Amino acid sequence: MIRAVVWGENVHEKKSDVVAKLYPDGMHTCIADALTAGGINASTATLQDSEHGLPQTRLDQTDVLIWWGHAAHGDVDDAVVDRVADAVWGGMGLILLHSAHFSKIFKKLMGAPCNLTWREAGERERLWVTSRHHPIARGLPDHFELEQEEMYGEPFGVPEPLETVFISWFQGGEVFRSGLTYKRGAGHVFYFRPGHETYPTYYDSNVQKVLVNAVEWAANPERRITDVHAAPNVDVANALEPITARGPKLHADGEEGFR
C-alpha cells in the first residue's frame, strides 16, 4: 500500500472561524481521509509538530508527500526544506496544493519565482482535462466545475512542465495552468491549483479523485537513492576500460572534489 503524508500548515484553521467551521479537523485531515477512502495509507503532519512532523526517519518511510501552505511559508525551517528536497531527488513523490506555489520547497525545486495573479471573489472555476489519458486524469470527465474558488491567473512563473494535465477558466475571464507535472531527480512532482481554504474544495469528489490519482502516479516503487549529493572520484584503477593517466591534475586518486 502506498504510504502518503499530508502536510498542512494548519494556521488558517486556528485563526479563521470560517475555515475552522469548514474544516473542523483541518484541511490536512480532510485530504488524508479522502486518500484513505481511495485505498492509500495516509497520515498527517503539521507546521506546529516537532521538525514540522517530517523528521528524516518519517520521510524515509514516505512514498508521497502532499503539501499545503499559505500564511506561514517563511516559518518552515530551511533544514526541513532541504531534507524534503533530498527525499524528492532520491525518489519520493511530492504534490503541491494551491498556495503551496509560494512554498519554500516548490520554489527550491523549480528554481523560479513561481508568481501569478490572483483574486479572492468566490468565482466559478472550470477545470479542463488537457491530457486525456494521463493517469492523474483517470476516471474524470473532460471538464468539471468548482462553484466557488480563488482565481489564479497567468502568467505563472514556473519552468515549462513535462505535462499540463489541467487548465482552469474562471468567471472573470482568466485562465491558468492548474495541473503541472515535473521530474526532479528520481522524484515525480505534481502541482494542483484548487484548494482555497474558505471554500469546500477538498470535499469535491472530482478533486478527491485527482488527489488519489496523483498519489498513485507520484509513488515510485524503486528503491530510494540515499545519497543524492554523492559525486565520487573514480580513479584510474577502477575505470571500466583500461586507461593510463596522463597530464597534470589537481586531485589525488579518491580525493573529494571542490564544492
Side-chain angles (χ1 to χ4, degrees):
M1 183 179 290
I2 297 172
R3 302 163 298 180
V5 173
V6 181
W7 190 89
E9 189 180 83
N10 198 32
V11 170
H12 293 298
E13 296 94 325
K14 295 179 177 297
K15 293 186 175 182
S16 167
D17 291 340
V18 173
V19 181
K21 183 177 180 180
L22 193 58
Y23 296 103
D25 297 317
M27 283 180 284
H28 51 286
T29 301
C30 178
I31 294 167
D33 288 346
L35 296 179
T36 299
I40 293 163
N41 179 3
S43 58
T44 64
T46 67
L47 176 71
Q48 296 79 26
D49 297 337
S50 175
E51 299 185 74
H52 306 326
L54 301 173
Q56 187 63 55
T57 52
R58 190 172 192 190
L59 289 176
D60 289 344
Q61 300 300 314
T62 300
D63 298 312
V64 181
L65 176 63
I66 299 93
W67 191 283
W68 194 102
H70 186 195
H73 295 315
D75 294 339
V76 179
D77 191 282
D78 289 342
V80 174
V81 175
D82 291 343
R83 189 183 302 157
V84 172
D86 284 354
V88 173
W89 288 325
M92 183 185 75
L94 179 65
I95 298 170
L96 294 307
L97 301 177
H98 192 56
S99 45
H101 70 91
F102 264 160
S103 64
K104 287 182 178 180
I105 182 59
F106 191 52
K107 295 180 78 172
K108 180 181 181 73
L109 292 173
M110 295 298 104
C114 303
N115 56 319
L116 44 80
T117 64
W118 62 282
R119 178 174 56 245
E120 191 178 14
E123 56 200 282
R124 183 181 303 113
E125 176 180 3
R126 181 176 297 139
L127 292 101
W128 288 92
V129 175
T130 54
S131 184
R132 192 173 278 172
H133 295 293
H134 197 283
I136 294 176
R138 185 179 63 250
L140 293 171
D142 284 347
H143 68 272
F144 63 93
E145 294 186 359
L146 300 171
E147 186 57 35
Q148 287 186 301
E149 253 298 347
E150 181 182 23
M151 182 279 290
Y152 280 4
E154 295 285 348
F156 189 14
V158 293
E160 190 66 21
L162 289 176
E163 292 181 280
T164 299
V165 185
F166 303 104
I167 288 179
S168 290
W169 167 89
F170 296 89
Q171 276 185 283
E174 290 87 355
V175 296
F176 191 76
R177 293 168 291 162
S178 52
L180 307 179
T181 69
Y182 295 91
K183 187 79 176 291
R184 290 295 181 265
H188 291 102
V189 178
F190 178 59
Y191 172 77
F192 187 50
R193 197 221 69 82
H196 190 59
E197 56 273 13
T198 61
Y199 309 125
T201 299
Y202 293 121
Y203 294 105
D204 183 86
S205 60
N206 286 314
V207 169
Q208 292 182 353
K209 184 180 290 292
V210 170
L211 296 178
V212 171
N213 289 348
V215 168
E216 293 175 346
W217 168 85
N220 188 342
E222 301 300 323
R223 181 178 298 179
R224 188 80 56 86
I225 299 170
T226 56
D227 190 353
V228 296
H229 299 286
N233 178 355
V234 180
D235 58 37
V236 170
N238 291 315
L240 293 177
E241 301 290 342
I243 58 172
T244 300
R246 55 184 181 174
K249 60 182 182 178
L250 292 175
H251 298 284
D253 289 348
E255 183 182 354
E256 291 189 7
F258 300 119
R259 298 208 182 200

